Amino acid sequence: MGCCGSTQKTRDWKPLEQRKCTDIPWLLLFILFNIGMLCICGFAIATGAASRLISGYDSYGNTCGQKNAKIPEIELSGLDHTSRKYVFFLDPCKIDVLKRKIKSVALCVSKCPETELKTYEDLTKFSTVNGSDLCTYDLQPDTYSSHPNRATKCPTLPVHRSASLPVFHRCMPADISCFTEFAEAFITFVSDNSVVHRVIAGVMTSKEIIMGLCLLALVLSLILMVVIRYISVLLVWILTAVVVVGSIGGAGILWWLYVDQGKAVNATLPAHELEVARDNQQALLIYAIAATVFTVILLLLMFFMRKRVALTIALFHVAGKVFTHLPLLALQPFWTFLTLMLFWVYWITVLLFLGTAGSPVKNNQTGLVEFHMDGPLQYMVWYHAVGLIWISEFILACQQMTVAGAVVTYYFTRDKSQLPFTPIVSSVLRLMRYHLGTVAKGAFIITLVEIPRLILTYIHSQLKGKENACARCMLKACICCLWCLEKCLTYLNLNAYTATAINSTSFCTSARDAFLILVENALRVAAINSVGDFVLFLGKVLIVSCTAFAGVLSLNYQREYTVWVLPLIIVCVFAFLVAHCFLSIYESVVDVLFLCFAIDTKYNDGSPGSEYYMDKTLMEFVENARKANEKYSKAEGDSREMKSMTGGTLA
């Protein structure tokens, strides 16, 4: 960031006094980029890709449900399919994993088979009654039974009962057994498919427990937010004690359950139940060992970090007050998630459009038609992929700027009764009016780092199983470095957004000013980022552990359920994601408060005319730190005086 030079004088911080538009060129660039994204969507719709995706098309380039133009050198193209609105696959279970599509001849039909067709006579009867060919168009229905190429030109028997997909007019079998076999092909670490069936059965039979545990994780996250809000002073010690007891107790209970499950294995059981009991015992052994190792590491970390909590406790207490005055902050993850989901749905839809865009090309091996984009048009997919990263990061950055603006308003308002009615809404309006360019620039910087990291990750995945271990190791090191750089830039971006919310300066100026403040408070930054993040991590661990513990007990006392592995993994992943969404907002609030606190202590000293903006809790911390420094300075002065007197006596 060459534009972030340090040639200017140190800025005088004037919170909320001035407001102006920032990084307008970047806002214009972002708008132009989004216009390009819309043009890609418009191109896909204008060239018929959208209609081909929704209505479907056959293997000869004809779009179902409409009259088609003749494609040169393609037989059976240019047919009138106005009455044939559904796509029928001769072999719907023949799936090409690499190209992620059904590798089968597709035909346009007027009706999906609603009953099972077992013989070619049934095919002939269905085609005659419905006026819809189930074999290729060059075969007449009365020749289905006798044609020599019926094995390749007609569907695989029996033809299962099928129904049309909602919106997308594809006839898909009601019996999904073939797709289950396809899913099992992905599970390469299992050699016995019966294990896969037991795992899937375990998920299906325990779906009520899974849903209940996911709801429990959401409730626990909300309870933890309430705890942080009302007893933040005691949070660190309470949470630490609970996690210590919980981790030790959880590891002990897992070992007890392992022994208890071993008794069931040793008991006389039917063969099927004995196999399930052995699977559960093995899973419990893995869980118990992992919990024990994790507990030991956790206790060591907590021992070494026990003294670095004073400022963290003060900031957590103030953060609790922030959520008291700004309760809508807790809803930010929901709005962000909803916005991201809407954008991702749009992005995937356009990507599917692009998958059917382009010109029809005959595949010389199969003789069927495929659609390909040639020349510069093929780069639209890459443009679209960059848009996924940049716009997603932009949405996340908008959340960070909104949180920063609301917390800055709270911190630098001396009389809290004078706060805006809805500081969150005020922050959103300021963002939309003044600082969208700054957010777009910060998101673009993250995108520049994330794109090469994703490319290297893809290359690394393609090299798995290759002989060149050195190349894989170097790629992994580069990926780790880029990941660390991305995290550092994300943290700096949040502080830059905070500086922008205070001074209404451009991104580079704000990043430079925030960086200088952070460097001056490097030790405090280390303490906050280590202790604070660790405490929030303990909160996530507590939520996941409680949810997993409840899951183990629920499944243990419902032993008719089968393998526990996948249900527990699903529950734990969901619990972690929920806890992360809630506590990440709290983490952002603490980081913003710290930068405001650092600015406050730098430019104010508490004297008349230079009063602190900070809360009383932080004021007490400052006073205690000042007294400790004075006591240390006095003790050091007394020590020097004693040394001087001793030296004079000896002389």
Side-chain angles (χ1 to χ4, degrees), residues 12 17 25 59 84 86 203 251 302 334 364 483 519 569 574 617:
D12 291 331
E17 291 186 8
S59 297
R84 300 179 177 184
Y86 304 99
V203 174
M302 294 174 68
F334 292 106
N364 295 326
W483 181 84
V519 169
I569 290 176
F574 181 84
T617 304

Side-chain angles (χ1 to χ4, degrees), residues 56-121:
Y57 60 95
D58 62 18
S59 297
Y60 310 102
N62 301 298
T63 301
C64 300
Q66 68 180 44
K67 188 174 182 180
N68 298 276
K70 178 69 176 178
I71 302 175
E73 302 180 359
I74 302 295
E75 298 180 1
L76 303 178
S77 65
L79 301 180
D80 186 359
H81 285 329
T82 304
S83 61
R84 300 179 177 184
K85 300 181 179 180
Y86 304 99
V87 180
F88 174 77
F89 298 97
L90 300 190
D91 188 3
C93 294
K94 190 176 182 181
I95 300 175
D96 189 339
V97 178
L98 296 178
K99 295 184 178 180
R100 302 173 296 280
K101 65 180 182 179
I102 298 176
K103 192 177 181 181
S104 168
V105 174
L107 303 173
C108 292
V109 298
S110 59
K111 185 179 181 181
C112 299
E114 297 178 350
T115 58
E116 187 177 58
L117 307 177
K118 300 180 179 180
T119 64
Y120 288 103
E121 287 73 16

Side-chain angles (χ1 to χ4, degrees), residues 129-163:
V129 171
N130 296 283
S132 181
D133 299 331
L134 291 185
C135 297
T136 54
Y137 305 134
D138 55 343
L139 267 65
Q140 297 299 320
D142 55 1
T143 63
Y144 287 173
S145 303
S146 58
H147 198 280
N149 295 327
R150 64 184 185 181
T152 57
K153 292 180 176 291
C154 291
T156 303
L157 296 178
V159 177
H160 297 290
R161 180 175 63 87
S162 61

Side-chain angles (χ1 to χ4, degrees), residues 107-315:
L107 303 173
C108 292
V109 298
S110 59
K111 185 179 181 181
C112 299
E114 297 178 350
T115 58
E116 187 177 58
L117 307 177
K118 300 180 179 180
T119 64
Y120 288 103
E121 287 73 16
D122 292 339
L123 296 180
T124 301
K125 182 179 178 181
F126 179 89
S127 300
T128 303
V129 171
N130 296 283
S132 181
D133 299 331
L134 291 185
C135 297
T136 54
Y137 305 134
D138 55 343
L139 267 65
Q140 297 299 320
D142 55 1
T143 63
Y144 287 173
S145 303
S146 58
H147 198 280
N149 295 327
R150 64 184 185 181
T152 57
K153 292 180 176 291
C154 291
T156 303
L157 296 178
V159 177
H160 297 290
R161 180 175 63 87
S162 61
S164 174
L165 292 174
V167 182
F168 301 98
H169 299 74
R170 270 74 169 177
C171 297
M172 301 307 295
D175 181 10
I176 60 172
S177 59
C178 61
F179 301 116
T180 303
E181 296 172 1
F182 168 71
E184 291 175 358
F186 282 98
I187 309 179
T188 57
F189 61 89
V190 177
S191 58
D192 184 7
N193 282 340
S194 63
V195 176
V196 180
H197 286 295
R198 291 203 305 274
V199 170
I200 296 175
V203 174
M204 296 304 297
T205 54
S206 59
K207 58 181 180 294
E208 292 85 4
I209 289 181
I210 293 176
M211 294 176 63
L213 292 172
C214 291
L215 181 61
L216 175 64
L218 181 61
V219 172
L220 289 176
S221 299
L222 292 173
I223 291 175
L224 186 60
M225 292 292 290
V226 172
V227 169
I228 293 176
R229 178 179 174 181
Y230 289 107
I231 57 171
S232 56
V233 177
L234 301 177
L235 172 66
V236 175
W237 305 117
I238 292 176
L239 195 57
T240 301
V242 169
V243 170
V244 168
V245 175
S247 57
I248 296 176
I253 290 175
L254 284 173
W255 282 111
W256 174 77
L257 289 174
Y258 168 72
V259 174
D260 182 63
Q261 194 71 33
K263 295 178 182 179
V265 172
N266 295 329
T268 303
L269 294 174
H272 173 70
E273 294 184 10
L274 181 62
E275 191 173 4
V276 172
R278 286 175 178 171
D279 290 336
N280 288 336
Q281 185 187 26
Q282 185 176 6
L284 282 171
L285 177 61
I286 296 174
Y287 294 152
I289 294 175
T292 303
V293 174
F294 179 77
T295 300
V296 172
I297 296 174
L298 200 63
L299 293 177
L300 290 175
L301 287 174
M302 294 174 68
F303 175 77
F304 287 110
M305 299 174 66
R306 68 189 187 280
K307 294 182 179 180
R308 307 175 67 183
V309 295
L311 181 58
T312 302
I313 291 176
L315 287 174

Side-chain angles (χ1 to χ4, degrees), residues 526-588:
I528 296 301
N529 286 335
S530 57
V531 179
D533 291 351
F534 182 69
V535 169
L536 294 176
F537 170 72
L538 292 182
K540 298 174 187 178
V541 170
L542 179 62
I543 293 173
V544 174
S545 300
C546 291
T547 307
F549 178 63
V552 169
L553 293 181
S554 301
L555 295 172
N556 183 60
Y557 289 104
Q558 299 289 337
R559 295 198 175 186
E560 66 269 16
Y561 294 149
T562 52
V563 181
W564 300 357
V565 178
L566 195 55
L568 279 179
I569 290 176
I570 292 173
V571 167
C572 290
V573 169
F574 181 84
F576 178 81
L577 292 176
V578 170
H580 178 74
C581 287
F582 279 95
L583 296 182
S584 62
I585 292 295
Y586 205 92
E587 180 181 2
S588 299

Side-chain angles (χ1 to χ4, degrees), residues 491-503:
Y491 177 73
L492 182 60
N493 278 7
L494 174 60
N495 288 280
Y497 299 149
T498 304
T500 298
I502 297 173
N503 282 325

